[in-house]
């Protein structure tokens, strides 16, 4: 008997202040993977994925397709919550005077591919502490990712 695999997906809007993100999460059952992508105004921002073993996680020999749907939905909610949390933290850190806090959040945002927001925090860190070389490197990395090598050197 041929096994039929089904794919499930979730979509939602994540709003925080002036930011409006769209999250798309899908289950690719052929690869036992759930992938979530975040977009802002149609611009790709980031991707997260998890792999799973459907038989092991279900502790059954048969595939439960409701499990696939549940897995995609749970991961989608996690990614949406994480995105919203990052921007809540960003709001709190903007009120602080700590260059290190701005730098650390800049690194997290950079790793999540939120380049505009990461750049803002690196610049705030430099404004508060110009000698913070790591923040300058963070800005250079963003410029390189934006394919602006001349700006990265400055």
């Amino acid at each position: 008997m041929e096994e039929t695999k089904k794919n499930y997906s979730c979509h939602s809007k994540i709003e925080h202040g002036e930011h409006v993100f769209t999250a798309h999460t899908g289950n690719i059952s052929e690869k036992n993977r759930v992938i979530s992508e975040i977009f802002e105004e149609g611009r790709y921002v980031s991707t997260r994925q998890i792999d799973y073993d459907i038989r092991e996680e279900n502790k059954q020999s048969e595939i439960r397709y409701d499990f696939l749907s549940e897995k995609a939905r749970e991961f989608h909610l996690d990614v949406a919550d994480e995105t919203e949390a990052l921007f809540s933290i960003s709001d709190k850190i903007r009120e602080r005077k700590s260059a290190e806090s701005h730098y650390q959040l800049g690194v997290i945002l950079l790793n999540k591919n939120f380049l505009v927001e990461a750049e803002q925090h690196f610049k705030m860190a430099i404004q508060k502490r110009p000698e913070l070389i790591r923040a300058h490197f963070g800005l250079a990395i963003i410029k390189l990712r934006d394919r602006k090598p001349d700006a990265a050197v400055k």
Side-chain angles (χ1 to χ4, degrees):
M1 181 173 161
E2 187 173 305
E3 195 173 292
T4 303
K5 294 189 174 190
K6 297 181 182 179
N7 293 318
Y8 297 90
S9 63
C10 304
H11 308 279
S12 65
K13 189 187 315 186
I14 305 162
E15 296 183 59
H16 186 86
E18 62 195 41
H19 297 281
V20 178
F21 299 100
T22 305
H24 300 280
T25 303
N27 181 309
I28 304 172
S29 55
E30 294 82 16
K31 295 186 177 187
N32 292 338
R33 181 172 294 152
V34 176
I35 298 176
S36 187
E37 296 179 319
I38 304 288
F39 297 88
E40 183 176 21
E41 297 178 5
R43 175 184 62 91
Y44 166 80
V45 176
S46 69
T47 299
R48 281 198 40 214
Q49 69 181 35
I50 57 168
D51 295 328
Y52 59 86
D53 181 347
I54 192 166
R55 288 187 189 352
E56 182 179 310
E57 291 197 28
N58 279 304
K59 309 248 187 289
Q60 300 175 9
S61 60
E62 63 196 45
I63 292 177
R64 284 186 27 234
Y65 291 104
D66 61 326
F67 170 79
L68 296 177
S69 177
E70 179 183 320
K71 195 75 165 172
R73 188 174 81 49
E74 285 177 6
F75 187 62
H76 180 80
L77 293 174
D78 286 348
V79 169
D81 287 347
E82 178 184 280
T83 301
E84 195 166 343
L86 277 173
F87 284 88
S88 292
I89 292 167
S90 179
D91 289 347
K92 289 283 188 194
I93 287 179
R94 285 180 197 281
E95 300 167 4
R96 301 193 41 90
K97 297 188 183 339
S98 168
E100 188 65 28
S101 295
H102 285 290
Y103 166 74
Q104 291 296 333
L105 184 57
V107 169
I108 292 168
L109 290 164
L110 177 62
N111 288 334
K112 299 289 183 185
N113 211 35
F114 290 104
L115 301 182
V116 172
E117 294 76 15
E119 181 175 11
Q120 290 170 355
H121 282 282
F122 288 138
K123 285 180 176 179
M124 285 186 256
I126 292 167
Q127 182 181 19
K128 293 174 186 310
R129 210 168 107 208
E131 71 278 5
L132 187 59
I133 300 301
R134 296 172 296 159
H136 290 278
F137 282 132
L139 281 177
I141 290 168
I142 289 169
K143 298 303 179 191
L144 289 172
R145 284 195 184 174
D146 280 344
R147 302 184 195 283
K148 298 175 184 171
D150 292 338
V153 175
K154 296 177 185 177

